[in-house]
Amino acid sequence: MVDKPVRIQDVARAARVSTATVSRALSTPDKLSEETRKAVFEAIRLTGYRVNQAARNLRMQRAGAVLILVPNLSNPFFSQILAGISGVFMETDYSVLIADTRARGADDTRLVDYSLARVDGIISLDGGLRPEIMAEFADRGAGDRMLFACEWVQDTPLPSVRSDNVTGARLAIQHLYDLGHRNIAHVTGPEDNVLTHARRTGMLEQRARLGLPVQEDWIIRGDFSLDSGRDAARRILEMAHRPTAVFCASDQVAFGLISTLTAAGVRVPEDLSVVGFDDIELSEYYVPALTTIRQFRRTLGARAARLLLDRLTGARPDLPDGDVLMVDVELVVRDSTAPPPSGR
Amino acid sequence: MVDKPVRIQDVARAARVSTATVSRALSTPDKLSEETRKAVFEAIRLTGYRVNQAARNLRMQRAGAVLILVPNLSNPFFSQILAGISGVFMETDYSVLIADTRARGADDTRLVDYSLARVDGIISLDGGLRPEIMAEFADRGAGDRMLFACEWVQDTPLPSVRSDNVTGARLAIQHLYDLGHRNIAHVTGPEDNVLTHARRTGMLEQRARLGLPVQEDWIIRGDFSLDSGRDAARRILEMAHRPTAVFCASDQVAFGLISTLTAAGVRVPEDLSVVGFDDIELSEYYVPALTTIRQFRRTLGARAARLLLDRLTGARPDLPDGDVLMVDVELVVRDSTAPPPSGR
DNA sequence: CTGAAAGCGCTAACAG
DNA sequence: CTGTTAGCGCTTTCAG
């Protein structure tokens, strides 16, 4: 049977107090006498009262929701970040909305309108938002209620929570070096992506530090996808002088690469070592199990969520340099790396 | 700079009409004279007006949101279904909320309260909701505004959109049979899951039809996870009389299985064939590329979303038998299956 | 076809 | 510490 919803009025009547008192019991319980408080909560329990969020939001001049901008909702990489974010907001009275910025029909101009009108805060996992869009967000006062997680937009004053991509890349190169590799290729992410840049930078720095030669055609352009891993493998197979190891900008790239190399008879790690980046769940069970750089995606999401929450509630926690909250990464050594074939 | 938001009042003033007229222009444009309508839309454009959803929702006695219950948000399998759902609601004025039913702290009793108080409709991807919970949903009038996608709860009068799991299982067995396999094992999903049941049923039926022997210990209990695939592989390795093929209830199980078998020196598909279920993106790039049953997850999500939307707006589209909307599946043959080793 | 006005359920002054 | 009261911005009768 369908009860008609209980209103704050009904609770007030049941507890023999005013609606204001019920409201206070919910938001600032310490400001009530113990007696009253008890009575109110008892009445709430009896009536089965639930706050009407629409009314509360209207009154409080807020939307009661935060928006998560995801570049590609069907990419498994993002789901754990989402889980982290979602977990934090679950315990608040903010709803979490999710929008796929790259989905068919999602023109990002409309996104700004849509967003700021409907939500109190925004977490973007998309670092590829166009500068005009970012400017418009800023104009509309999003500065205090928007931030980035995982990816970010360069030269924007918004805070961001990110993995230590540079260190990750260094760890990967160092690991390969320690195994004896000197001829190391790299498959990058998409050219305009901030993660691509950070990981390539880390890789180049570490190479320079170790005195490894830089060979132009060993930097292969990819886009984090399985397909781009396959394409990179084809390029490598055609090379006269092949590298003995490849550091991939994502685990997916590594899978596309290994899959294609294996089909062509090149064995990993015996003939060629491969390192990924991300440590998605499957990496442990790939054939061979993938050596990779682990990102703590859930933690990253949770931190971003908490940061936004703090800002929304007026707290202004100090942020380190450049408003960047860095999350550590770690090297996970498995079976896709080994010393180079003898004689190389 | 931060503009204070434009209200319907402001538009009315700019268009020299009443707020009621502006409201009508938005909801029932045909009821206005062309002249007025034009004036209003011009005013809306000029002022940059956006509806305040909280106010609209309060007035219309609705929540303006739908809730998606996901058993495990960090499981990549669900993200594409979400993408399909999300795409449909993006074009409406409903927000999409996502709740992880299995997350830490998500006790599902609270879920009912939380849900029905805050949303207009619910799509559950979780078929494991306890009967009490379902009963409570029903009591609270959720019957018209809740449905299942992908998974479902048995013996509940709620509609569901699902893949044709039984046929999928049959296709898998038939494919192995056609290759010459007669000794086929199956790794199931979790015991209490409806998908587990459907897939096992399809498998048993097809086996019976083909006159294949049923050997008890070739039905291995799993839970759709990578780890359970690994465990199943260990069981198989210990068998005196091993099957020549394994049909897994999910691609993840297949990966866990293949990874562990390979490490133990059993080659797939030369020594043993493996079929998965789902066709997640990675399956094509596994080593070996996985033969599997493809589910159209995005379509499934979109259909469920459209169905809920219809019900929310009062339309009552006819549903086929038992309120089940079935989505086709298909067999995708890749490299993890081959004829059994000669002599078996 | 259009306008006036009531009120959705809640919170936050303000007054006591 | 508690009650009274005025709206938050919108939609929808009810009149005209």
Side-chain angles (χ1 to χ4, degrees), chain A residues 8 20 23-24 49 52 56 59:
Chain A
I8 202 168
S23 177
R24 285 188 198 105
Y49 171 71
N52 178 323
R56 166 179 274 178
R59 175 61 226 233

Side-chain angles (χ1 to χ4, degrees), chain A:
Chain A
M1 122 242 150
V2 186
D3 324 1
K4 77 161 166 302
V6 180
R7 294 150 310 152
I8 202 168
Q9 276 280 3
D10 306 321
V11 179
R13 199 171 312 134
R16 306 179 162 283
V17 296
S18 71
T19 58
T21 300
V22 179
S23 177
R24 285 188 198 105
L26 260 21
S27 55
T28 52
D30 347 315
K31 293 197 169 175
L32 300 190
S33 74
E34 188 178 333
E35 200 181 9
T36 323
R37 196 184 333 127
K38 266 191 183 162
V40 172
F41 281 122
E42 178 61 9
I44 289 179
R45 207 181 54 70
L46 283 174
T47 54
Y49 171 71
R50 303 270 107 197
V51 184
N52 178 323
Q53 288 295 337
R56 166 179 274 178
N57 291 337
L58 174 59
R59 175 61 226 233
M60 294 179 77
Q61 305 268 55
R62 56 167 225 176
V66 297
L67 178 72
I68 317 301
L69 299 178
V70 187
N72 178 2
L73 195 43
S74 52
N75 182 338
F77 176 79
F78 295 110
S79 46
Q80 284 200 23
I81 301 179
L82 278 183
I85 293 174
S86 170
V88 170
F89 283 108
M90 181 106 306
E91 302 173 3
T92 72
D93 63 346
Y94 285 97
S95 303
V96 175
L97 309 188
I98 296 181
D100 191 327
T101 52
R102 307 289 168 90
R104 194 181 55 79
D107 88 90
D108 43 3
T109 315
R110 262 192 51 210
L111 203 60
V112 180
D113 287 347
Y114 171 89
S115 308
L116 292 168
R118 277 172 89 147
V119 302
D120 300 308
I122 299 177
I123 297 179
S124 177
L125 310 191
D126 187 346
L129 299 174
R130 305 201 319 276
E132 311 94 86
I133 303 295
M134 291 309 303
E136 192 159 348
F137 269 124
D139 271 3
R140 305 274 223 88
D144 295 347
R145 47 206 189 90
M146 177 167 181
L147 51 83
F148 286 93
C150 186
E151 298 191 1
W152 66 95
V153 170
Q154 214 66 264
D155 303 322
T156 303
L158 298 177
S160 68
V161 182
R162 41 176 111 157
S163 288
D164 191 344
N165 292 284
V166 175
T167 300
R170 283 191 192 140
L171 291 172
I173 299 300
Q174 183 69 48
H175 167 65
L176 290 170
Y177 183 90
D178 290 345
L179 285 171
H181 293 275
R182 297 297 178 268
N183 301 313
I184 305 172
H186 177 53
V187 184
T188 74
E191 202 43 53
D192 52 357
N193 183 284
V194 284
L195 303 177
T196 299
H197 183 74
R199 291 172 195 172
R200 181 170 43 203
T201 302
M203 170 209 67
L204 291 173
E205 278 178 20
Q206 193 63 16
R207 262 171 120 116
R209 187 168 311 174
L210 297 169
L212 295 183
V214 177
Q215 185 166 337
E216 265 310 318
D217 65 341
W218 284 358
I219 311 275
I220 303 171
R221 188 175 299 184
D223 63 6
F224 293 143
S225 74
L226 289 158
D227 286 346
S228 75
R230 174 201 59 205
D231 296 343
R234 290 180 181 158
R235 293 271 297 278
I236 290 173
L237 289 168
E238 286 168 356
M239 291 178 183
H241 179 44
R242 287 187 197 161
T244 62
V246 183
F247 166 46
C248 299
S250 81
D251 283 0
Q252 302 244 11
V253 167
F255 298 147
L257 185 90
I258 295 176
S259 153
T260 308
L261 288 177
T262 306
V266 176
R267 295 164 306 161
V268 175
E270 294 82 353
D271 302 326
L272 193 107
S273 287
V274 177
V275 180
F277 205 112
D278 287 345
D279 192 33
I280 68 176
E281 213 193 350
L282 222 125
S283 303
E284 186 180 350
Y285 286 104
Y286 200 74
V287 179
L290 189 70
T291 294
T292 188
I293 304 299
R294 175 175 296 162
Q295 287 198 69
F296 298 88
R297 301 194 288 293
R298 208 184 187 96
T299 305
L300 201 152
R303 285 218 192 143
R306 229 174 286 280
L307 188 56
L308 181 59
L309 204 53
D310 283 347
R311 301 202 139 201
L312 291 179
T313 55
R316 272 310 178 77
D318 289 330
L319 275 176
D321 279 357
D323 279 357
V324 174
L325 216 67
M326 203 66 97
V327 178
D328 284 343
V329 298
E330 67 187 29
L331 172 72
V332 182
V333 178
R334 301 207 182 94
D335 309 330
S336 65
T337 48
S342 51
R344 298 293 293 278

Side-chain angles (χ1 to χ4, degrees), chain B residues 42-78:
Chain B
E42 178 62 8
I44 289 179
R45 208 182 54 70
L46 283 174
T47 54
Y49 172 70
R50 303 269 106 196
V51 185
N52 179 323
Q53 288 294 337
R56 165 178 276 178
N57 291 336
L58 174 58
R59 174 60 227 237
M60 296 179 77
Q61 305 268 58
R62 57 166 223 176
V66 297
L67 178 71
I68 317 301
L69 299 178
V70 187
N72 178 1
L73 195 43
S74 52
N75 182 338
F77 176 80
F78 294 110

